[in-house]
Amino acid sequence: MPANRSGEPLGEWHTSSWRSRPAAQQPDWPDAAALKDAEATLAALPPLVIASEARRLTSSLAAVSRGEAFLLQAGDCAESFREFSADTIRDKLKVVLQMAVTLTYAAGVPVVKVGRIAGQFAKPRTSPVERVDGVELEAFRGHMVNDEAFDPVARRPDASRLVAAYHQAAATLNLLRAFTKGGFADLSLVHRWNQEFVASSAEGRRYEQIATEIDRALRFMAACGIDLVAEEGLHETDFWTSHEALILHYEEALTRRDSLSGDWVDTSAHFLWVGERTRQLDGAHVEFLSGVINPVGVKLGPSATRDEVLALCERLDPGRSPGRLTLITRIGKGKVADTLPPLIEAVRDAGHPVVWVSDPMHGNTFTSENGHKTRRFEDIVAELQEWFAVHRAMGTWPGGVHVELTGDDVTECLGGAEAVVEDDLDQRYTTMCDPRLNARQSLDLAFDVAELLRS
Ligand code: PEP
Ligand code: CO
């Protein structure tokens, strides 16, 4: 019988079975030996996450699918090898904790926190090449593959970057675990998550009110004789990692068999998703994710059809397991009311207990007059309003939001309560790929989402 690389019969899933399918968005690695070396190195390194964590996240997402919790998935569009420090990790975590506490307090739902972090190093591109002044080079595909400088050497895919990405992911995850389990996420520190440039803004003051009310509630509970020290949930939190499973050599090398259950786990992150450009039913990415037990997501753009979505559900969640599959729609404002209902209806009728999430960023990107790729805060909110309205009308649970943000005071997206205008974009536009919400805009969005959840 014909066999795959690992000696398993062809047609059966294995960590390398994706290799016999068309794999979109993969770099053309110029040095085959270097790629083999990087894969061997990664395969020998310790896992970043373990099976029991992936299962715990699945059960938290199962609660989301039942309407008992809300998912906040947020972080960089693309993590950078250069902008990598304790401060950037801490500030991103601060924003997510602020958003989560705002949602929990204002809407009364537990929030499952998942970062686009510790592995979000690769980007799908609309064109495989970039042309500037008549010069054509390979597109920048994220620091896991090449460098963004417009230079032939920088743009050459370099497989040693796969290993560098692993080490940065490991260091990032280590600090996240320390912060979230070691006291930084303690609810008594809610004021400390409010960064200076946020605290002085209208959103920051609104947040301070919530923080003060939380203090008061904690004092009240203590006065009633509740032992707050013993309440673990007040002192630490779960913060899960996720990224787009794009570069399959990296994902395969980090996929391990759980010794207890025999299940395959992609140990590069807790949650993995397949993007709008790589979700082909018979493609390599869907094949790969179909065989790992991690909770997985699929991005769905405005052209996704009922049949495609149903087939993806059947392929990625044949067992109809709550928490296994998250559908992340990124449709664009003005189109949600027409596009989303048939998809929800089809999935519901087929009995797939998916988590529905809105990514209100990727369908609302445009280029400003001064040449910056940007998004309007009001368009982002508009897509969310339409999306919540559809779920309300159909009686389904609006399970979560997926956003690109940073803890820094950047000027990449337009608008917000302290509005960024087109002329500001030049000031602090530091993203390597898509425009991100800054910490103030992120907090602003959390208040809007909390209101939508409440109504
Ligand atoms: C992304 O999430 O950064 C991305 C590229 O999204 P999509 O696949 O939805 O375009
Ligand atoms: Co993006």
Side-chain angles (χ1 to χ4, degrees):
M1 194 194 306
N4 67 17
R5 282 171 17 115
S6 309
E8 315 233 339
L10 266 190
E12 308 232 328
W13 186 89
H14 194 263
T15 55
S16 62
S17 56
W18 64 269
R19 291 176 189 251
S20 58
R21 312 263 179 151
Q25 298 282 343
Q26 302 303 290
D28 223 339
W29 298 103
D31 183 343
L35 178 60
K36 269 213 149 45
D37 270 0
E39 290 178 284
T41 303
L42 286 173
L45 284 164
L48 294 175
V49 310
I50 59 172
S52 58
E53 293 180 298
R55 287 195 195 95
R56 271 210 306 130
L57 175 56
T58 301
S59 67
S60 293
L61 291 170
V64 177
S65 76
R66 294 190 299 268
E68 295 160 9
F70 191 74
L71 170 65
L72 173 60
Q73 189 171 20
D76 251 311
C77 178
E79 287 173 274
S80 163
F81 280 4
R82 274 188 296 273
E83 272 176 45
F84 169 50
S85 69
D87 288 359
T88 53
I89 297 166
R90 182 203 56 209
D91 291 347
K92 222 170 286 168
L93 179 64
K94 277 182 177 174
V95 186
V96 174
L97 291 176
Q98 279 192 296
M99 292 177 80
V101 90
T102 299
L103 285 163
T104 303
Y105 192 82
V109 288
V111 173
V112 180
K113 296 172 276 299
V114 178
R116 280 176 70 114
I117 199 166
Q120 179 55 22
F121 294 108
K123 298 311 299 174
R125 303 316 305 243
T126 308
S127 165
V129 292
E130 187 181 348
R131 215 167 282 124
V132 176
D133 297 333
V135 181
E136 186 178 284
L137 294 178
E138 283 227 28
F140 170 54
R141 292 183 182 276
H143 279 173
M144 185 187 275
V145 176
N146 56 8
D147 188 86
E148 75 272 27
F150 194 75
D151 166 285
V153 178
R155 287 293 171 91
R156 192 180 136 99
D158 173 359
S160 72
R161 286 174 171 270
L162 298 169
V163 179
Y166 166 92
H167 288 296
Q168 183 165 325
T172 303
L173 184 53
N174 181 57
L175 190 59
L176 288 170
R177 289 187 197 275
F179 277 141
T180 52
K181 302 294 177 189
F184 186 79
D186 195 298
L187 266 185
S188 66
L189 298 182
V190 275
H191 297 276
R192 295 253 294 270
W193 307 336
N194 212 2
Q195 295 188 73
E196 200 51 49
F197 79 96
V198 181
S200 58
S201 68
E203 304 88 316
R205 287 192 293 274
R206 205 167 158 195
Y207 173 79
E208 272 303 315
Q209 275 173 14
I210 289 185
T212 303
E213 284 170 38
I214 290 172
D215 282 344
R216 199 177 306 141
L218 291 174
R219 280 200 303 275
F220 173 74
M221 287 192 287
C224 293
I226 296 168
D227 182 1
L228 300 186
V229 177
E231 290 296 325
E232 204 178 84
L234 298 175
H235 310 297
E236 59 175 57
T237 192
D238 288 323
F239 186 84
W240 310 99
T241 60
S242 72
H243 60 261
E244 177 172 351
L246 186 70
I247 305 299
L248 293 174
H249 293 99
Y250 180 79
E251 305 304 334
E252 176 185 336
L254 289 172
T255 296
R256 310 286 159 80
R257 192 160 216 159
D258 174 30
S259 56
L260 291 176
S261 62
D263 290 337
W264 290 98
V265 190
D266 184 344
T267 70
S268 71
H270 299 110
F271 178 100
L272 297 144
W273 77 86
V274 63
E276 167 70 358
R277 293 167 190 78
T278 51
R279 60 171 170 78
Q280 300 80 16
L281 191 60
D282 296 316
H285 294 82
V286 170
E287 166 67 14
F288 178 77
L289 287 186
S290 74
V292 295
I293 59 132
N294 309 59
V296 298
V298 180
K299 291 280 206 95
L300 298 173
S303 65
T305 66
R306 290 171 60 111
D307 289 351
E308 269 171 11
V309 174
L310 279 182
L312 283 164
C313 287
E314 203 50 53
R315 189 91 166 70
L316 290 170
D317 178 33
R320 291 164 172 72
S321 324
R324 157 70 176 169
L325 182 60
T326 295
L327 297 178
I328 308 164
T329 63
R330 27 87 85 221
I331 297 168
K333 67 147 191 179
K335 289 179 283 198
V336 179
D338 288 336
T339 312
L340 186 57
L343 304 184
I344 293 181
E345 194 178 64
V347 170
R348 187 176 56 191
D349 292 352
H352 289 284
V354 304
V355 170
W356 287 102
V357 167
S358 171
D359 163 358
M361 315 283 296
H362 286 88
N364 295 306
T365 316
F366 68 99
T367 303
S368 72
E369 277 179 17
N370 49 13
H372 288 295
K373 207 173 170 190
T374 188
R375 294 158 172 158
R376 282 194 194 89
F377 185 83
E378 65 202 55
D379 295 347
I380 292 166
V381 174
E383 176 158 353
L384 282 172
Q385 284 168 337
E386 295 168 27
W387 187 83
F388 271 88
V390 166
H391 282 288
R392 204 167 304 126
M394 299 191 69
T396 41
W397 176 241
V401 293
H402 178 120
V403 291
E404 291 181 342
L405 58 73
T406 166
D408 303 332
D409 190 11
V410 299
T411 53
E412 298 171 5
C413 289
L414 299 168
E418 301 220 335
V420 173
V421 297
E422 286 212 25
D423 283 341
D424 296 334
L425 291 178
D426 279 327
Q427 287 178 15
R428 291 179 300 282
Y429 192 95
T430 61
T431 183
M432 291 189 305
C433 197
D434 289 339
R436 303 159 297 176
L437 299 171
N438 64 32
R440 271 199 300 261
Q441 292 167 325
S442 302
L443 195 49
D444 227 352
L445 192 74
F447 283 113
D448 287 340
V449 172
E451 223 143 84
L452 286 166
L453 263 174
R454 242 191 338 236
S455 62

